[in-house]
């Protein structure tokens, strides 16, 4: 019975009684081929070929027998390499050492069994299932599970990288000085005051101290949102002469002046409600306050004007009614007074320089007297007792004291 070569290394298997006198030589050859299978071989692909066959020879030295095969040559397109015979059940380490930046595809058998693609310069471990024409080639490390993996050089991941344990840590640097730690349900934490830099070390984000997140741009920080940028608490511009610009062309600015305040540029307006009510510097030295209909000035104590007031239209005041002769000058400067009995005219809470008028309707002819703070002619006061209507005016020279409120009156109007 003749020798066979059906094993996965294509070694010669001699039958009993065969190869008389050559067993030693055949055995030595087989041992050499076993050694070859444990080594590596290099096989060249014809230039620009898109198919190539690697057939392990029977009992003869062959690069395809090696566990580690390096394919060389120059390609201008992907090349499919078929390893035979299609009954071999092997594990190979295969490197795509070709030039031309093309993939090689490792398959077994003449059918459409699965193949493994090896990109240029990459090395993969593949298994051949020896399934005949429909044999399947598998990427052994396509789903590699290992406890610890140490990579001494670059690590390139062609798809997803998953760290599947909570609190997983990625460590960077020869001394592990920078770490990125997973917190379950929260996110990732960069340790200490280490920075996440962009472009170069001059633009970065980091926690500069406990509770302080610093975003530092080498020149500019550009915040861009489709709707709004929200600040949930104080916003501080901590440089003197800081400028806030508004509009696509920054035509409106608000500038800080150290120790003074904020300045709106040029003749731009600070508007209220709509553009019809506003405050602005209409020209050099002129501050304009414009109300669409009315300007209401309200103060808990006083509105102080430090120079002349020019009124282009009418100036009016609040008219307040009084029937007992007591006039609180903090309430009004314009009064209507209709006595309902004999009263003493009293003006309380005067301010120096305050003046006003009282429309007196004493149609009942009630007797009126004056508080000691009023400086009023006795004949005038007596005349006010006569039934009729009068205009009484006053001027305050002091905030208190006898004869400090000067009072005069017209004769009876009716």
């Amino acid at each position: 019975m003749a020798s066979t070569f059906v094993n996965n290394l294509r070694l010669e298997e001699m039958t009993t009684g065969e190869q008389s006198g050559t067993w030693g030589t055949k055995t030595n050859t087989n041992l050499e081929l076993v050694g070859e299978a444990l080594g590596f071989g290099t096989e060249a692909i014809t230039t620009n070929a898109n198919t190539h066959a690697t057939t392990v020879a029977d009992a003869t030295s062959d690069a395809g027998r090696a566990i580690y095969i390096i394919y060389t040559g120059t390609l201008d397109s992907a090349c499919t390499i078929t390893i035979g015979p299609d009954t071999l059940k092997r594990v190979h380490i295969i490197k795509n050492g070709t030039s031309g930046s093309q993939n090689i595809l490792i398959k077994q058998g003449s059918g459409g069994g699965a193949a493994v693609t090896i990109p240029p310069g990459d090395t993969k471990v593949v298994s051949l299932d020896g399934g005949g024409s429909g044999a399947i080639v598998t990427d052994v490390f396509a789903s590699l599970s290992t406890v610890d993996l140490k990579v001494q050089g670059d690590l390139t991941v062609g798809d997803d990288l998953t760290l599947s344990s909570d609190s997983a840590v990625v460590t960077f640097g020869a001394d592990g000085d920078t770490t990125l730690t997973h917190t379950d349900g929260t996110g990732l934490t960069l340790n200490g005051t280490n920075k996440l830099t962009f472009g170069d070390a001059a633009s970065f984000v980091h926690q500069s101290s406990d509770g302080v997140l610093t975003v530092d741009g080498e020149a500019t920080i550009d915040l861009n949102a489709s709707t709004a940028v929200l600040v949930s608490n104080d916003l501080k511009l901590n440089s003197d002469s800081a400028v806030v610009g508004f509009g696509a062309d920054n035509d409106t600015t608000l500038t800080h002046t150290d120790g003074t305040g904020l300045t709106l540029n040029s003749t731009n307006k600070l508007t209220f409600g709509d553009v019809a009510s506003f405050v602005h510097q209409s020209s050099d030295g002129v501050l304009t306050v414009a109300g669409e209909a009315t300007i209401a000035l309200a103060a808990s104590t006083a509105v102080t004007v430090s120079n002349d007031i020019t009124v282009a239209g009418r100036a009016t005041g609040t008219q307040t009614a009084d029937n007992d002769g007591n006039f609180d000058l903090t309430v009004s400067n314009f009064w209507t007074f209709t006595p309902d009995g004999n009263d003493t005219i009293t003006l309380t809470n005067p301010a120096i320089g305050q003046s006003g008028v009282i429309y007196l309707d004493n149609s009942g002819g009630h007797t009126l007297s004056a508080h000691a703070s009023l400086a009023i002619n006795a004949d005038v006061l007596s005349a006010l007792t006569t039934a009729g209507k009068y205009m009484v005016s006053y001027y305050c020279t002091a905030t208190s004291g006898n004869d400090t409120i000067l009072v005069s009156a017209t004769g009876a109007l009716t």
Side-chain angles (χ1 to χ4, degrees):
M1 193 175 177
S3 297
T4 60
F5 305 89
V6 295
N7 53 78
N8 289 326
L9 295 180
R10 310 304 291 178
L11 304 178
E12 182 174 358
E13 298 180 13
M14 295 170 287
T15 58
T16 302
E18 293 292 325
Q19 308 294 342
S20 178
T22 63
W23 270 75
T25 300
K26 299 288 186 178
T27 300
N28 288 341
T29 298
N30 282 344
L31 291 175
E32 290 172 359
L33 295 179
V34 169
E36 183 179 75
L38 296 175
F40 79 91
T42 300
E43 187 164 307
I45 300 173
T46 302
T47 300
N48 297 333
N50 54 24
T51 61
H52 178 80
T54 294
T55 303
V56 180
D58 293 342
T60 304
S61 178
D62 191 334
R65 180 178 286 103
I67 191 172
Y68 180 27
I69 306 173
I70 302 174
Y71 286 100
T72 61
T74 301
L75 303 176
D76 60 3
S77 63
C79 181
T80 299
I81 299 172
T82 303
I83 297 178
D86 57 19
T87 56
L88 290 179
K89 295 181 178 179
R90 293 287 312 275
V91 172
H92 276 296
I93 304 170
I94 300 177
K95 178 178 180 179
N96 182 353
T98 64
S99 58
S101 301
Q102 300 297 324
N103 296 333
I104 60 173
L105 286 75
I106 308 300
K107 65 171 296 188
Q108 184 186 31
S110 59
V116 173
T117 299
I118 305 177
D122 284 4
T123 301
K124 288 192 176 185
V125 178
V126 301
S127 65
L128 316 179
D129 75 351
S133 62
I136 296 173
V137 179
T138 303
D139 185 341
V140 174
F141 293 155
S143 180
L144 176 66
S145 177
T146 181
V147 176
D148 293 314
L149 178 65
K150 294 183 179 180
V151 180
Q152 300 300 323
D154 296 337
L155 174 64
T156 300
V157 180
D159 207 334
D160 299 337
L161 175 64
T162 301
L163 306 183
S164 59
S165 66
D166 289 338
S167 304
V169 179
V170 180
T171 301
F172 302 85
D175 57 354
D177 61 298
T178 302
T179 60
L180 195 61
T181 303
H182 168 256
T183 302
D184 186 29
T186 300
L188 299 173
T189 303
L190 195 62
N191 66 310
T193 59
N194 283 316
K195 303 172 182 178
L196 183 61
T197 64
F198 303 88
D200 55 36
S203 297
F204 56 84
V205 177
H206 78 138
Q207 178 179 271
S208 52
S209 60
D210 186 32
V212 180
L213 178 69
T214 298
V215 180
D216 200 327
E218 184 174 6
T220 302
I221 296 175
D222 186 359
L223 301 179
N224 193 351
S226 61
T227 54
V229 175
L230 304 178
V231 179
S232 61
N233 215 306
D234 297 341
L235 177 64
K236 299 181 179 180
L237 307 182
N238 62 354
S239 65
D240 290 338
S241 303
V243 179
V244 180
F246 301 86
D249 56 355
N250 282 318
D251 61 297
T252 302
T253 61
L254 196 60
T255 303
H256 168 254
T257 302
D258 186 29
T260 300
L262 299 173
T263 302
L264 195 63
N265 66 311
S266 186
T267 59
N268 284 315
K269 303 172 182 177
L270 184 60
T271 63
F272 303 88
D274 56 35
V275 296
S277 298
F278 56 85
V279 177
H280 78 138
Q281 179 179 270
S282 54
S283 61
D284 186 32
V286 179
L287 179 67
T288 298
V289 180
E292 183 174 7
T294 302
I295 296 175
L297 300 179
S300 61
T301 54
V303 175
T304 301
V305 179
S306 62
N307 215 310
D308 297 341
I309 296 178
T310 300
V311 180
R314 292 178 296 176
T316 61
T318 301
Q319 180 176 274
T320 305
D322 181 89
N323 296 323
D324 62 6
N326 291 309
F327 304 97
D328 184 352
L329 299 187
T330 62
V331 175
S332 181
N333 287 328
F334 305 98
W335 303 85
T336 62
F337 174 31
T338 304
D340 55 7
N342 298 334
D343 292 319
T344 299
I345 301 174
T346 305
L347 278 61
T348 59
N349 300 314
I352 297 175
Q354 183 177 359
S355 63
V357 295
I358 302 170
Y359 170 62
L360 170 60
D361 184 357
N362 192 9
S363 299
H366 298 290
T367 300
L368 300 176
S369 57
H371 186 271
S373 61
L374 272 60
I376 184 171
N377 182 274
D379 291 338
V380 172
L381 181 60
S382 176
L384 296 180
T385 301
T386 303
K389 298 178 181 178
Y390 304 87
M391 289 296 295
V392 179
S393 61
Y394 61 87
Y395 176 81
C396 305
T397 63
T399 58
S400 63
N402 293 342
D403 299 327
T404 56
I405 302 176
L406 311 181
V407 179
S408 64
T410 66
L413 301 176
T414 60

